[in-house]
Amino acid sequence: KLQLMESGGGSVQAGGSLRLSCVASGYTIRRYCMGWFRQAPGKEREAVASAFRAKEVFNTTHYADSVRGRFTISHDNAKNTLFLQMDSLKPEDTAMYFCAHGPLGQSKCGDLNVWGQGTQVTVSS
């Protein structure tokens, strides 16, 4: 059974940086779609960044407008780990951050049906 575990959250002042990690366990992942999401109290869940891996190539597919240029999604496939590097953090980035996993079809990602427990990011001004 595939499981995801996020880590790396914490409290940071505006302008600071954090690096989130999402470790996948259960089986080795070679071909997949994954993404980072966040949800703040009283707000809907927001897609932050997404990517897929196919033919041993990692491809970034999307960044939310609110984070583009500040956040970077990356991976270490040998360690079954997905990362989210967050720079120039703003108070509005405060949220619970989740990673999610789903199957990759021929040309489209399936539903992201495996989720981690989340890691809290708090940015103070």
Side-chain angles (χ1 to χ4, degrees):
K1 179 181 179 181
L2 176 66
Q3 293 182 314
L4 305 177
M5 181 66 71
E6 303 95 337
S7 63
S11 298
V12 64
Q13 292 183 321
S17 297
L18 288 171
R19 190 192 193 200
L20 306 184
S21 299
C22 173
V23 179
S25 61
Y27 60 84
T28 300
I29 299 173
R30 298 179 180 180
R31 175 182 172 88
Y32 57 77
C33 296
M34 293 193 74
W36 287 97
F37 297 78
R38 67 186 182 186
Q39 187 166 27
K43 297 184 178 180
E44 294 186 351
R45 186 173 61 199
E46 176 187 18
V48 176
S50 61
F52 70 90
R53 179 176 172 83
K55 299 182 179 179
E56 301 184 348
V57 177
F58 184 82
N59 302 272
T60 300
T61 60
H62 175 261
Y63 286 106
D65 289 343
S66 58
V67 308
R68 187 175 294 110
R70 299 187 298 117
F71 290 11
T72 305
I73 189 170
S74 62
H75 82 299
D76 184 339
N77 197 61
K79 298 181 179 179
N80 285 346
T81 303
L82 186 76
F83 301 102
L84 184 67
Q85 178 67 43
M86 306 186 295
D87 297 321
S88 301
L89 283 163
K90 304 175 181 179
E92 51 263 44
D93 295 319
T94 296
M96 183 73 74
Y97 284 72
F98 302 87
C99 66
H101 172 276
L104 175 63
Q106 195 68 29
S107 61
K108 183 179 179 180
C109 292
D111 293 339
L112 300 177
N113 52 16
V114 180
W115 293 74
Q117 295 296 309
T119 184
Q120 179 67 39
V121 172
T122 302
V123 184
S124 62
S125 59

